[in-house]
Amino acid sequence: MKTNPQNNGLLLSCLLLLPACSTTPPLPAVQPSPVLIVQPCPPVTACLLPRSAPQRNGQLAAALQQTRAALDACAAKIDAIAICQQRQEKPTDD
């Protein structure tokens, strides 16, 4: 049995169209990388002094001690932030 060459061409063209009918799986969505923000220095916060309304000398002395302790704590916070910022400004030669 002999086949016509035109039938072969028609058969091949039909076979080439078959992949066009199939669906391909969707590509996975590309998620952007999260942005990392490095903040090694502690945040700057307000220094608060304790309220006081001393009425006697003993209360005044206690208020003075509390105020000095609060100022020392504030100075320590400021010093820590200043040291951290100085370290960031220095280029490392590693």
Side-chain angles (χ1 to χ4, degrees):
M1 178 166 150
K2 198 171 184 182
T3 59
N4 189 356
Q6 292 175 349
N7 289 344
N8 288 340
L10 184 61
L11 180 64
L12 287 174
S13 64
C14 288
L15 289 175
L16 287 175
L17 291 176
L18 286 178
C21 297
S22 66
T23 58
T24 58
L27 294 175
V30 177
Q31 298 292 329
S33 302
V35 177
L36 299 177
I37 299 173
V38 179
Q39 185 180 6
C41 295
V44 178
T45 57
C47 294
L48 302 175
L49 297 177
R51 290 184 175 217
S52 64
Q55 296 179 356
R56 297 196 172 98
N57 282 342
Q59 293 172 343
L60 182 62
L64 178 63
Q65 288 178 347
Q66 290 175 351
T67 303
R68 284 184 177 168
L71 289 174
D72 288 342
C74 184
K77 276 200 267 184
I78 292 171
D79 289 344
I81 293 169
I83 290 169
C84 180
Q85 289 175 348
Q86 287 174 355
R87 286 183 187 157
Q88 283 184 343
E89 290 174 0
K90 288 183 183 178
T92 57
D93 296 332
D94 292 337

